[in-house]
């Protein structure tokens, strides 16, 4: 699979997959996807694969920042969500997600072994983001040459970590909150400076009011990056959940896992802190599927 690098964002670099148009040979059929009950949260023992339906089935959150888990039609040899090529396992199971700024509609497309094409249209609900209008000019960006020299290797490490394919199966699970506390920063919030938009908040911030509070893995995965002193993120942990889905945890005071470790849902992996560029102790948790930034709240539901 070939990846094309895009301009890095200030906090975390992105990975993307180039557009691939489904082949036009064979007959085409447009069908509606079928919603299903959520998938099991544990990995079952291998068993004979049953015959799959002739259309996409899925469950999830069809809105900006949301996601779906599903199954491709029987006989599928290639599947797409919009311009993103989907990976699916031997049972046809896949994961896909919708960026914070995803358009109002997209489509699932499957190319079958017999040349047929199955297309299912999806409506993506818009979100009412927390937008603050500020009567002040956006401060000009830019950084010193010394900072750029330090920052570029950090961005490269983040980029390379997100490209790793570990075979993790956490994407099949129901996610849990890594820690309980007050949500001090919500995903997607943004300031507009006299008509000029600033960067939106790419994750969710959780504070307990003190440093040192333990946090846990929200789902199974493999640690693909664990570093102590990145300039912005501080102690940074990235976990691959499989199928292109990964979590990042920023500003920790201590990490308890290292690169290559397999972690399980609920395992203690770090402590909250204020390392890097942070105004106080909190956990910044972000989720990405390839190049799409996702809302953790849509994976966990409200904090209880």
């Amino acid at each position: 699979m070939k990846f094309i690098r895009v301009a890095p964002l200030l906090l975390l670099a992105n990975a993307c997959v180039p557009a691939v148009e489904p082949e036009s040979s064979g007959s085409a059929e447009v069908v509606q996807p079928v919603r299903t009950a959520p998938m099991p949260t544990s990995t079952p023992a291998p068993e004979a694969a049953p015959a799959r339906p002739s259309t996409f089935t899925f469950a999830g959150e069809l809105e900006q920042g949301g996601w779906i888990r599903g199954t491709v039609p029987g006989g599928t040899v290639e599947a797409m969500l919009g311009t993103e090529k989907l990976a699916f396992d031997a049972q046809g199971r896949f994961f896909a997600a919708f960026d914070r700024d995803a358009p109002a509609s997209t489509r699932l497309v499957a190319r079958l072994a017999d040349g047929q094409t199955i297309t299912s249209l999806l409506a993506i609900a818009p979100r009412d983001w927390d937008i603050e209008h500020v009567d002040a000019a956006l401060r000009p960006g830019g950084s010193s040459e010394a900072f750029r020299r330090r920052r570029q290797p950090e961005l490269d490490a983040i980029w390379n970590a997100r490209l790793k394919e570990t075979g993790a199966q956490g994407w099949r699970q129901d996610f849990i909150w890594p820690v309980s506390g007050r949500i001090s920063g919500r995903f997607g919030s943004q300031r507009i400076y006299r008509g000029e938009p600033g960067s939106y908040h790419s994750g969710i911030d959780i504070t307990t009011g003190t440093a040192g509070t333990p946090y846990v893995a929200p789902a199974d995965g493999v640690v693909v990056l664990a570093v102590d002193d990145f300039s912005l993120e501080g102690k940074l942990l990235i976990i691959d959940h499989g199928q292109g889905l990964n979590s990042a945890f920023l500003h920790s005071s201590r990490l308890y896992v290292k690169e290559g470790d397999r972690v399980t849902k609920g395992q203690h992996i770090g402590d909250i802190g204020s390392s890097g560029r942070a105004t106080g102790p909190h956990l910044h948790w972000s989720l990405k599927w390839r190049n799409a930034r996702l809302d953790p709240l849509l994976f966990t539901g409200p904090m209880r």
Side-chain angles (χ1 to χ4, degrees):
M1 186 180 295
K2 183 178 179 182
F3 289 84
I4 299 176
R5 187 158 187 175
V6 297
L9 296 176
L10 185 61
L11 287 181
L12 293 174
N14 296 322
C16 64
V17 179
V20 181
E21 291 297 330
E23 293 186 5
S24 58
S25 61
S27 60
E29 180 183 0
V30 178
V31 298
Q32 290 302 312
V34 179
R35 288 185 179 270
T36 65
M39 288 184 172
T41 60
S42 59
T43 304
E47 58 183 26
R52 296 202 300 272
S54 60
T55 185
F56 286 94
T57 62
F58 71 89
E61 304 288 342
L62 271 77
E63 56 186 284
Q64 291 176 327
W67 55 275
I68 55 174
R69 286 189 295 248
T71 305
V72 299
T76 296
V77 295
E78 183 179 68
M80 308 279 293
L81 173 69
T83 59
E84 290 283 345
K85 187 174 182 179
L86 297 178
F88 53 92
D89 63 16
Q91 289 74 45
R93 297 172 300 204
F94 70 90
F95 179 92
F98 315 106
D99 186 65
R100 185 259 198 190
D101 296 323
S105 64
T106 187
R107 60 181 183 167
L108 288 165
V109 178
R111 182 170 63 85
L112 308 187
D114 62 6
Q116 291 189 77
T117 298
I118 303 294
T119 300
S120 295
L121 304 179
L122 302 179
I124 309 304
R127 300 279 295 279
D128 184 16
W129 302 113
D130 181 13
I131 305 296
E132 179 184 1
H133 291 269
V134 179
D135 187 19
L138 179 65
R139 287 182 294 181
S143 54
S144 68
E145 179 62 29
F147 176 79
R148 288 194 294 270
R149 285 197 302 269
R150 178 185 178 186
R151 186 60 176 157
Q152 191 57 54
E154 296 174 351
L155 292 174
D156 291 342
I158 293 168
W159 171 269
N160 291 330
R162 292 195 184 281
L163 293 180
K164 292 179 180 178
E165 298 179 1
T166 67
Q169 295 292 304
W171 64 274
R172 296 180 57 195
Q173 298 177 316
D174 292 331
F175 279 50
I176 62 173
W177 284 97
V179 66
S180 295
R182 180 176 63 87
I183 296 176
S184 57
R186 292 189 175 274
F187 174 81
S189 59
Q190 186 178 30
R191 287 181 174 178
I192 308 295
Y193 298 87
R194 292 180 180 171
E196 186 175 358
S199 298
Y200 66 82
H201 194 230
S202 61
I204 198 163
D205 291 344
I206 310 165
T207 180
T208 61
T210 184
T213 305
Y215 65 86
V216 303
D220 292 357
V222 176
V223 178
V224 291
L225 189 65
V227 294
D228 283 333
D229 60 351
F230 272 13
S231 54
L232 301 184
E233 298 87 359
K235 295 184 188 300
L236 167 66
L237 188 63
I238 298 181
I239 294 176
D240 172 46
H241 300 297
Q243 289 272 9
L245 178 66
N246 53 71
S247 286
F249 306 91
L250 282 61
H251 310 308
S252 302
S253 61
R254 185 175 178 183
L255 303 178
Y256 292 88
V257 291
K258 64 184 184 302
E259 187 173 333
D261 285 354
R262 290 192 173 272
V263 300
T264 58
K265 183 168 77 169
Q267 178 181 335
H268 181 198
I269 56 176
D271 294 341
I272 287 179
S274 55
S275 59
R277 189 172 295 180
T279 57
H282 70 280
L283 178 66
H284 174 100
W285 173 33
S286 63
L287 277 162
K288 287 191 68 180
W289 178 68
R290 300 184 181 169
N291 205 37
R293 294 189 177 275
L294 313 177
D295 187 354
L297 190 61
L298 296 181
F299 285 73
T300 62
M303 189 179 297
R304 301 184 186 279

